[in-house]
Amino acid sequence: MAAKASSAKYIFVTGGVLSGVGKGITAASIGTILKARGLSVNIQKCDPYLNYDAGTLNPAEHGECFVTRDGAEADLDLGHYERFLDIELTQPSSLMSGRILRQVMDDERAGKYLGKTLQIIPHVTNQIQKTIAATGQGFDVHIVEIGGTVGDYESLSFVEAIREMSMKVGLENCLFVHVVYIPYLGASQEFKTKPAQNAVRELRGLGIVPDILVARSEAKPPRSVLPKLSMFTGVDQEAIVLLPNAQTIYQVPLSMEEAGIANVISERLSLRTHKPEMTSWNRMVKSALTKYKKTVRIGVIAKYVDNQDTYMSVFEAVRAAAWASEVNAEIVWVKAEDLPKDKKEQAILKTLDAIIVPGGFGPRGIEGKVMAATYALDNKIPYLGLCLGLQVGVIAAARRAGLTDANSTEFNAKTSNPVISTMAEQVGLENTGGTMRLGDYKCELASGSIARKAYGQAEITERHRHRYEANNQYRDQYASWGLKISGVSPDNNLVEMIEATDHPYFVATQAHPEFRSRPNRAHPLFAGLIRASLK
């Protein structure tokens, strides 16, 4: 039997027609408008991939790997959840099929099924329900996004699990939101609702009748599509939201608020709420939509350039910092792999007001990243290094000071100057998956450092996702390289932050501060970069 559900009310978000339709933003927006009404809201992503987590997924295909404070490697939608709801999620909020299947198999090996024949129904579906119920425990509302598109073979177990769960908790305690797509045909100059109708029919065929329909489109469709959608899907007109593309994703909660969806949800689930408080959110959206007099060009030295989602949290952190300084941020892609040999890419560096080297793994594009860090050092260009960005910053400074073969053992295991390497106790375990630093770690900031001034406090906590560290054998040489260690672990064993001594803003961290940025509360390091770029 599946575990009994908690007292939470459940909102299940599914998607139809095509992938990437906006389920994550929809789920996050629903959470935002409900939280604004005084409700405690939790949120969870159920992904049908057979992976155990998102740690090994290719960023070029799947977008960034988001890291929670407790070290879970998760889908990028968790980043949307955290930024919209201003909360810090944990591992249970990211659930992939691989994790469910492993738990079922572990229980089977431990004899917990008492010799029964294991099946998708009820054993896998029960385990999904059990995990959802445990994650929602103690909250007023628990929002669950089902990844993929309804009708995909791999997502059927999740769809069946939430169908069964609705029967167990009672229809008065759960609600289904289906996100569909309305294409526009230029030839006939009309919006077509047939794909949306078919997507709802597919969901109903699996035993779920949606309570709310979110209709996405590229442009704004006429309201005349509402009666048609309602007629052919069985969803009340007041429970259908038309969501054309917005200038900023942070407008979506306001669009939902205007459509009255929070009232539909509150009434349907008998939720006690107060008048929404969205003053801060409105102010932030106004900032996001403002065209400021000044623009700063921020170059991101990128390994993955085919998918903007690869650096989603970095881009959002840059935008939030720009809004806080009331400037426009123009994000410029610089191809790290081409930079050492392509003069056009090199010419881009001269047009930048600041440089960011984001995180990543593997040797591809590394020399381009080192070249960008060197350029920032030579030309006093504001620089922010994120995780790998710290490592290439150390390599660049060492090479400038004469250690021309300085490198990381990740990129050259035989380098005679391994300024970046694994710790002694990790040697030989590089590929076991158990040596990465993941999640929150504390850092003590040096008095008088740029980082200390930016944060305004002596001890900070940031999230990590890396294996290689600054080699302690070279720490006493940093000063001669023009570097200062501005942050260390509480035991002083790990270099956490560095900065250049004769530079307006060359700051790098082993952490991923972008994960803790919020649209209405810029992260100190990104805010400092924008301010420095204005000078």
Side-chain angles (χ1 to χ4, degrees):
M1 286 291 291
K4 287 186 178 179
S6 67
S7 59
K9 306 280 188 173
Y10 296 95
I11 298 176
F12 298 110
V13 180
T14 54
V17 184
L18 42 78
S19 61
V21 74
K23 296 186 305 297
I25 299 297
T26 298
S29 298
I30 289 172
T32 301
I33 59 178
L34 293 180
K35 188 181 177 187
R37 284 166 163 72
L39 296 168
S40 62
V41 180
N42 199 26
I43 192 164
Q44 182 177 28
K45 173 73 180 285
C46 294
D47 248 322
Y49 300 115
L50 292 178
N51 303 69
Y52 185 77
D53 58 29
T56 57
L57 295 178
N58 186 340
E61 295 177 13
H62 196 72
E64 76 175 4
C65 173
F66 189 83
V67 179
T68 60
R69 62 182 172 87
D70 61 347
E73 296 176 285
D75 180 86
L76 62 81
D77 275 327
L78 266 73
H80 292 314
Y81 300 164
E82 288 206 3
R83 286 187 288 273
F84 275 65
L85 292 168
D86 197 8
I87 55 178
E88 290 200 329
L89 299 171
T90 55
Q91 187 283 312
S93 282
S94 178
L95 182 63
M96 285 195 172
S97 286
R99 187 180 293 272
I100 288 291
L101 295 174
R102 175 182 280 189
Q103 186 62 57
V104 170
M105 296 311 301
D106 287 348
D107 288 349
E108 188 270 340
R109 292 288 84 187
K112 293 183 181 180
Y113 291 107
L114 303 176
K116 290 182 179 179
T117 303
L118 291 193
Q119 296 176 285
I120 297 296
I121 304 170
H123 304 103
V124 171
T125 52
N126 277 356
Q127 184 61 41
I128 293 171
Q129 294 166 51
K130 180 179 177 181
T131 308
I132 290 174
T135 308
Q137 190 74 41
F139 293 88
D140 295 326
V141 177
H142 184 48
I143 301 170
V144 182
E145 178 195 344
I146 306 299
T149 307
V150 168
D152 293 345
Y153 285 119
E154 59 263 33
S155 64
L156 289 175
S157 57
F158 283 104
V159 175
E160 172 61 18
I162 61 175
R163 184 196 70 80
E164 293 175 14
M165 196 167 182
S166 70
M167 296 170 63
K168 291 174 182 176
V169 303
L171 290 176
E172 70 278 8
N173 293 313
C174 71
L175 179 147
F176 293 98
V177 178
H178 199 38
V179 186
V180 295
Y181 184 70
I182 301 179
Y184 176 76
L185 292 186
S188 59
Q189 296 187 340
E190 59 181 334
F191 289 86
K192 307 298 285 187
T193 63
K194 185 62 72 176
Q197 296 173 36
N198 291 340
V200 174
R201 187 180 299 117
E202 180 95 41
L203 186 64
R204 292 170 71 106
L206 296 172
I208 294 175
V209 179
D211 301 279
I212 292 174
L213 199 64
V214 175
R216 289 277 295 107
S217 59
E218 294 296 304
K220 187 176 182 179
R223 293 193 64 79
S224 59
V225 304
L226 286 175
K228 192 173 183 180
L229 277 174
S230 180
M231 171 68 73
F232 288 101
T233 64
V235 179
D236 291 337
Q237 284 192 49
E238 61 267 24
I240 300 177
V241 193
L242 300 179
L243 279 186
N245 284 355
Q247 288 179 268
T248 169
I249 56 174
Y250 301 114
Q251 282 179 285
V252 178
L254 301 181
S255 299
M256 289 197 150
E257 183 65 44
E258 186 180 349
I261 287 302
N263 296 332
V264 174
I265 293 172
S266 299
E267 185 177 332
R268 175 73 172 72
L269 295 178
S270 301
L271 295 167
R272 292 184 178 181
T273 64
H274 60 56
K275 187 178 179 180
E277 173 47 60
M278 300 193 72
T279 306
S280 172
W281 195 269
N282 275 292
R283 191 183 305 120
M284 178 270 294
V285 170
K286 184 179 179 181
S287 296
L289 296 177
T290 300
K291 183 68 175 177
Y292 298 101
K293 293 180 181 178
K294 288 187 177 181
T295 298
V296 291
R297 284 172 57 86
I298 311 297
V300 176
I301 316 302
K303 175 180 177 180
Y304 306 103
V305 295
D306 298 323
N307 183 354
Q308 183 165 329
D309 289 352
T310 306
Y311 305 105
M312 176 70 73
S313 291
V314 174
F315 290 174
E316 292 304 318
V318 169
R319 292 181 183 118
W323 301 335
S325 287
E326 299 185 344
V327 295
N328 310 304
E330 181 185 349
I331 296 171
V332 182
W333 293 80
V334 181
K335 297 178 182 178
E337 199 169 3
D338 295 344
L339 193 55
K341 56 185 182 297
D342 190 328
K343 293 193 181 301
K344 288 184 179 180
E345 291 295 319
Q346 293 170 14
I348 294 175
L349 294 180
K350 298 178 182 179
T351 71
L352 301 176
D353 297 305
I355 290 172
I356 294 176
V357 173
F361 295 90
R364 186 165 67 86
I366 286 301
E367 289 305 316
K369 291 173 185 270
V370 173
M371 184 178 185
T374 304
Y375 181 86
L377 287 167
D378 288 343
N379 295 279
K380 302 281 194 296
I381 302 296
Y383 173 95
L384 180 59
L386 309 173
C387 193
L388 179 62
L390 175 141
Q391 297 169 19
V392 299
V394 172
I395 293 169
R399 290 182 183 178
R400 284 177 84 238
L403 299 183
T404 54
D405 62 339
N407 215 325
S408 166
T409 53
E410 180 183 7
F411 316 130
N412 180 5
K414 297 180 179 179
T415 178
S416 56
N417 280 295
V419 295
I420 306 293
S421 66
T422 49
M423 297 293 95
E425 62 271 19
Q426 296 175 350
V427 173
L429 300 174
E430 288 83 359
N431 295 316
T432 63
T435 57
M436 289 241 286
R437 275 211 284 157
L438 286 166
D440 277 1
Y441 282 87
K442 291 182 178 179
C443 168
E444 294 181 353
L445 299 176
S447 178
S449 64
I450 292 175
R452 175 77 170 265
K453 292 174 184 175
Y455 280 97
Q457 59 194 75
E459 184 176 272
I460 60 167
T461 299
E462 292 286 6
R463 298 183 203 173
H464 290 244
R465 184 182 182 240
H466 64 93
R467 179 175 292 112
Y468 291 81
E469 307 281 358
N471 191 337
N472 285 333
Q473 294 180 12
Y474 290 85
R475 277 168 72 161
D476 59 354
Q477 297 184 40
Y478 277 29
S480 65
W481 300 347
L483 293 182
K484 173 182 180 178
I485 297 173
S486 54
V488 294
S489 57
D491 63 3
N492 196 37
N493 189 45
L494 299 172
V495 173
E496 295 282 23
M497 293 190 71
I498 63 160
E499 52 194 58
T501 49
D502 182 24
H503 198 287
Y505 197 90
F506 188 99
V507 178
T509 170
Q510 275 281 55
H512 285 272
E514 65 270 23
F515 294 148
R516 300 189 72 198
S517 172
R518 299 291 182 261
N520 50 6
R521 191 173 63 256
H523 189 282
L525 295 184
F526 284 88
L529 181 76
I530 295 295
R531 287 194 297 268
S533 69
L534 286 168
K535 297 176 182 178

